[in-house]
Amino acid sequence: VIAAIGAVLVLWAAGLLPAVALTTDAARGLAVAPLVGGLLATVAGLASVASGAPPVPCFAAIVVIAGATAWRRVRRRGTSLRPGRLVAGHPWWLMVGVGVVLALPLTVVARAGIDWDAQSIWSHKATWFAEGGSRAREAFGAPQSAFSHPDYPPLLPAAAGVVSATTGRPDIDTSHQAVTAALVWSALAVLTLEIMAVGRRGARSWPLVACLTSLAACSFGALRLANGEADALWSIAAVAAGLGLLRRRDSPADLVVPALACLVAMLTKNEGLATGTVIVVGAVAVQWRHRARWWLLALPVASAGAALLMRSWAADPEPVLRFAHETVRERAGRAVEAVWHVLDDVAAPALVASALVLAVPGLRRRWRSAVGAVVACWGVVVASLLPLIWTYARGPHEIRWWLATSVDRTTIAAYVALVVIIGVVAGAGLESPGPPAPEAASEVV
Amino acid sequence: VIALLVLAYFASRTLEQVESAVSWSERSSAVGMLSTYQCLGDRLAELPSGERYWIGDPTTDPAGEMWRQRLVQRSFPAVQLADSEADATVRLDLRSDAQGRGCDGFVLVATPIGDPS
């Protein structure tokens, strides 16, 4: 328990000040802090392995630099951290309540044990990052390490390993599970904030609908939230990113939090890298004339750079160009069938809700904000499923075994996006008609 | 209202899953499996060359897919694998050992195929 609490506190503390500076809103800063802490730890982990330096000094240096830069930015903008401003357009007690409810599904972390892939792929590599330096480099490059997929993206093992090293490495499996749970909570909180952002600022019904939606979205299999695997993290982060980036938004500040979520998705798993890249390209295309959006293109470039670095350390990286099969069509057909079997119970109500919003003219005008959100969520569904079907069709494994052992977790992003469609329509329906509420002066930074 | 009810249904499913998972107190057997995996990999690396091996687990992995894809081909490419059991000269079986010997109670049993000597 001490290892778990220590790991979460280190993650939160490392990311808090930069998160507040990036979001200019203390409530969002608290929600985003674990993700920012995870990103800083990832940079530290990669720097440690690349340079041969121990991980803890690398992490300390990066946190100090990021914290000092953030503090200057906070001071320059005059952002206050007083409790009275912890509102994000809503009473602070309501936001705290939402945060507590979002933590409920993560109580599965109390279940003892860590699953097979979580240990052999993620937690095992966390021990290398905790060791850092040249010994970690040897482990990455050893042919015997191939079972642990050293070429997979770095965020989860780097964050768990570096944080665990910082807390004195009491128990790496426990630290890994705790760090995963904290990151998933943060991704869920960002998703909830992005759903709330679909409605009018300050509209009272949206926090409750958004919270209920996030809770419902976890029905893909709550055990996967905190069993130490990476699938839930990248998937929830990708949906939050898609919802925030694939809509028309005028303020560049609105892009920062979803962009962070997108970076987390791309640095967590190869599926996240593919999905995030499609989302970023779509986000730039949505408002092509807004040059303030072009910097988003740096995200997939940076993530691909990290992926290439990991591949360069591995002795036997998986081929990027997939295998060719004579039975590509048959394999793709089996994959589509299996994907539909996982998604059909959420896809049906999501299709009905989408048809209401998009096809009924009166509703389309009245629920204009929901229209953009529904289209954005379908964008995430497509962005996550197309690379997935392509991978199943051309991948190296026997298709029936492969689908049976993976399809329920590779489709989490599409599942979550479909649930969010239902939530957005519910929120739009509950919102009372009227002009946008003026922003309170105390909340404007 | 219907959309809210649908959300409430899925949210209740989440809470059911959480309750079920938390009440499951048995520790996952996967905890010990990593060392087993590595230990068996070390034994595979010691196999003599010049033979064609077929490996599988009769109950959970009859086609040998997991072993072929995940362990032998990727981690120990020097081990010569047969394309099928009929083409092999040595069959390797993964068996649990009641006395707990070998790799955390698992042993690899090598059986020559086609040549009793």
Side-chain angles (χ1 to χ4, degrees):
Chain A
V1 174
I2 290 171
I5 293 172
V8 171
L9 286 179
V10 166
L11 195 69
W12 223 299
L16 185 57
L17 202 51
V20 172
L22 283 171
T23 58
T24 65
D25 176 321
R28 283 174 189 269
L30 277 172
V32 176
L35 293 184
V36 176
L39 289 169
L40 294 177
T42 302
V43 174
L46 293 174
S48 166
V49 180
S51 68
V56 177
C58 286
F59 189 41
I62 286 168
V63 168
V64 167
I65 293 168
T69 311
W71 181 243
R72 281 179 57 193
R73 189 180 164 105
V74 166
R75 290 286 298 273
R76 197 170 65 238
R77 292 190 171 204
T79 306
S80 170
L81 301 178
R82 282 178 298 157
R85 294 176 67 88
L86 291 172
V87 290
H90 298 281
W92 66 267
W93 52 266
L94 186 61
M95 300 309 293
V96 170
V98 167
V100 170
V101 171
L102 292 180
L104 282 178
L106 292 160
T107 51
V108 291
V109 80
R111 189 206 68 152
I114 179 169
D115 285 350
W116 169 269
D117 274 4
Q119 190 178 48
S120 74
I121 297 176
W122 305 111
S123 174
H124 188 59
K125 281 207 295 276
T127 60
W128 305 348
F129 277 109
E131 190 73 39
S134 56
R135 292 185 66 181
R137 189 74 170 271
E138 281 173 28
F140 272 103
Q144 295 89 329
S145 300
F147 72 90
S148 193
H149 298 285
D151 55 334
Y152 276 13
L155 190 140
L156 206 48
V162 170
V163 164
S164 179
T166 308
T167 56
R169 302 176 66 174
D171 176 351
I172 204 112
D173 279 347
T174 304
S175 299
H176 173 73
Q177 266 186 296
V179 165
T180 310
L183 291 170
V184 168
W185 178 88
S186 188
L188 268 178
V190 171
L191 176 64
T192 307
L193 287 168
E194 290 304 319
I195 296 170
M196 284 166 53
V198 172
R200 279 205 322 274
R201 186 177 170 86
R204 288 287 178 259
S205 56
W206 275 98
L208 301 176
V209 173
C211 185
L212 185 64
T213 304
S214 292
L215 207 56
C218 295
S219 59
F220 56 76
L223 198 55
R224 295 201 178 279
L225 290 168
N227 65 355
E229 290 179 355
D231 304 281
L233 175 60
W234 85 257
S235 301
I236 295 168
V239 178
L243 190 57
L245 297 177
L246 291 174
R247 292 188 294 132
R248 298 178 74 87
R249 302 175 89 171
D250 293 330
S251 168
D254 290 338
L255 304 179
V256 173
V257 173
L260 281 172
C262 197
L263 194 57
V264 166
M266 288 192 287
L267 286 170
T268 300
K269 249 198 137 187
N270 288 330
E271 298 97 304
L273 181 56
T275 305
T277 302
V278 176
I279 288 173
V280 164
V281 171
V284 173
V286 162
Q287 284 174 296
W288 174 248
R289 292 176 193 279
H290 280 217
R291 294 196 174 185
R293 283 190 166 227
W294 287 11
W295 66 270
L296 292 170
L297 294 170
L299 301 179
V301 173
S303 306
L308 286 174
L309 193 61
M310 298 288 283
R311 290 180 69 82
S312 73
W313 295 338
D316 182 23
E318 283 188 0
V320 175
L321 293 172
R322 296 288 179 168
F323 299 77
H325 297 282
E326 292 175 358
T327 55
V328 165
R329 281 191 179 183
E330 185 194 329
R331 289 171 66 94
R334 281 183 187 275
V336 169
E337 196 179 323
V339 166
W340 175 253
H341 183 66
V342 175
L343 298 178
D344 58 357
D345 57 348
V346 283
L351 280 167
V352 173
S354 304
L356 268 178
V357 172
L358 300 177
V360 180
L363 293 181
R364 199 169 61 218
R365 274 196 303 277
R366 187 168 164 179
W367 297 346
R368 190 168 296 165
S369 59
V371 171
V374 167
V375 172
C377 286
W378 279 110
V380 175
V381 172
V382 172
S384 65
L385 291 187
L386 279 184
L388 183 69
I389 303 291
W390 188 84
T391 305
Y392 278 130
R394 301 187 70 86
H397 305 298
E398 195 279 318
I399 188 68
R400 277 169 299 188
W401 169 83
W402 199 6
L403 286 168
T405 54
S406 65
V407 75
D408 58 331
R409 58 191 166 82
T410 53
T411 49
I412 291 175
Y415 187 101
V416 172
L418 291 168
V419 174
V420 171
I421 288 171
I422 304 168
V424 163
V425 172
L430 283 176
E431 190 177 275
S432 56
E439 299 206 339
S442 63
E443 292 163 8
V444 177
V445 177
Chain B
V1 170
I2 292 171
L4 275 178
L5 289 174
V6 172
L7 287 177
Y9 164 71
F10 283 113
S12 72
R13 262 180 37 176
T14 299
L15 296 177
E16 274 174 26
Q17 291 166 0
V18 170
E19 188 186 353
S20 160
V22 172
S23 62
W24 184 59
S25 58
E26 188 180 337
R27 189 169 175 79
S28 165
S29 62
V31 171
M33 282 303 286
L34 186 65
S35 61
T36 310
Y37 210 14
Q38 288 172 319
C39 174
L40 290 170
D42 290 343
R43 301 288 82 78
L44 284 168
E46 294 166 0
L47 288 171
S49 57
E51 303 283 357
R52 291 191 307 280
Y53 295 95
W54 172 257
I55 185 168
D57 177 351
T59 51
T60 61
D61 187 27
E65 271 302 322
M66 186 184 87
W67 287 96
R68 292 167 62 80
Q69 299 284 0
R70 289 195 164 190
L71 185 62
V72 182
Q73 279 185 338
R74 291 187 50 76
S75 300
F76 301 96
V79 176
Q80 180 77 32
L81 282 178
D83 292 330
S84 68
E85 189 172 359
D87 188 40
T89 57
V90 175
R91 176 187 173 83
L92 298 169
D93 285 309
L94 176 66
R95 293 183 188 158
S96 60
D97 184 274
Q99 294 173 321
R101 292 174 301 193
C103 300
D104 295 337
F106 288 91
V107 290
L108 275 170
V109 179
T111 312
I113 297 172
D115 179 6
S117 65

